[in-house]
Amino acid sequence: MRIILLGSGSYSGTPKPFCGCENCTRARRFPIYRRTRFSLYLGKLKAIVDPSPDLHYHLEHLNEKVEQVLITHPHFDHIAGVPELQIFEKLTFYSHEETLRVVKWLQEAFVGEKRWEHVSLSFGEWKSFGNFNVLHFRTPHKPGDVAGGFVIEIGGKKIGITGDTGPEILKDEKTLESLTDLDLLVVEMTHRESIPGTHLGVEDALRLVELTKPELAVFAHISHNNYPHEILERKVMERGIRGIVGRDFLHLDI
Ligand SMILES: [Zn+2]
Ligand SMILES: [Zn+2]
Ligand SMILES: [Zn+2]
C-alpha cells in the first residue's frame, strides 16, 4: 500500500522566514532539508490526512485525485489547506464535530457550493465505512479543546497517526492499546524536548514507539528548532527502532 508523507514539518515550516538557525540556514541552501507543513496521502483510500497550508504545493507534485479528507484537529498547520481542495467537486471529510465546524466555515468563506460531505467522528469510537474503519482518539494538545489522532484499518493493514500530542499520551493506557499491532505509526516529533499538553520531544516520541512496537514508525511534524536531520536519524538508529525520520514526499510501501 502506497503512502506518501507530503509534508514533514510543523507550524512554521523549515526554513521559517527570517530565522537564522542551523536547520533554516541549511534548508535555504539545500532543498532536501526543507520541511513543509504536515500532511499525509493514503493511496488506497485516495485520502489526505490534514490539508496543510502547503496543500497547493503538495497537490501540484502529487497530481492525483483526492476523495476523502481526514483532519486531526483545527490548528492552522493542519486545516488551512481546505480552500485548496476546491479543485475537487466531490469530497468526504471525516473529523470531530468541532473540527468540521471550521471546515464548513472555510468552505463558506472561500469555496462555495460543492458536493462535500462531512462525517462526524466521536473520540474513542470505531466507525466503519465499508472498505475502511477509523478510530479517532483524543490527544492532549493545547491551545483549544479538540485534538486527536487516527487509527485506520484498510486492506488488511492498520495505520496509526498520532496527530499533535503532548507527552501525556504515554500514560494514556487506552490510547496506547489502540496503537498496538500497527503496520505503520506516524508519530509527531516536534521539538528537542517535550512540552506538556502540547507536543512530543525526541525522547518521548521514541518512547511511544518502544511502547507500541509498530512494524514501521515514521517521525514527522518536525520543527525547525529540533536537531538536524542526521542527528535525529542517529538517535532513532541507536535505539534499534525500525523507524524513518520523515522528509517531504517520503514514499512508503507497507
Ligand atoms: Zn501542528
Ligand atoms: Zn529556524
Ligand atoms: Zn496543533
Side-chain angles (χ1 to χ4, degrees), residues 19 30 36 57-58 120 149 216 232:
C19 182
F30 306 106
T36 56
Y57 169 76
H58 294 157
S120 166
L216 178 68
L232 292 175

Side-chain angles (χ1 to χ4, degrees), residues 3-7 37-42 47-51 58 62 70 152 159-161 184 186 218 220 250 252:
I3 294 175
I4 305 172
L5 179 65
L6 299 170
R37 272 68 66 88
F38 177 78
S39 189
L40 195 67
Y41 177 71
L42 309 177
I48 292 277
V49 180
D50 288 351
H58 294 157
L62 182 68
L70 290 91
I152 302 166
I159 301 154
I161 298 151
L184 171 69
V186 180
V218 170
L250 169 74
L252 301 161

Side-chain angles (χ1 to χ4, degrees), residues 10-11 73 75 77-78 141 164 199 221:
S10 69
Y11 191 91
H73 66 298
H75 280 171
D77 49 327
H78 299 258
H141 178 59
D164 288 2
H199 284 299
H221 200 273

Side-chain angles (χ1 to χ4, degrees), residues 181-192:
D181 301 323
L182 296 175
D183 294 283
L184 171 69
L185 177 60
V186 180
V187 191
E188 80 120 289
M189 193 193 246
T190 309
H191 299 298
R192 294 184 183 201

Side-chain angles (χ1 to χ4, degrees), residues 8 22-23 26 32-35 219 222 226-236 244-248 250:
S8 62
E22 188 183 352
N23 286 327
R26 190 201 276 187
I32 195 171
Y33 294 108
R34 289 175 59 90
R35 295 192 189 281
F219 299 96
I222 298 167
N226 206 325
Y227 296 101
H229 189 91
E230 66 279 11
I231 306 284
L232 292 175
E233 279 183 335
R234 196 177 68 207
K235 286 178 183 290
V236 173
I244 301 173
V245 179
R247 286 185 192 274
D248 287 13
L250 169 74

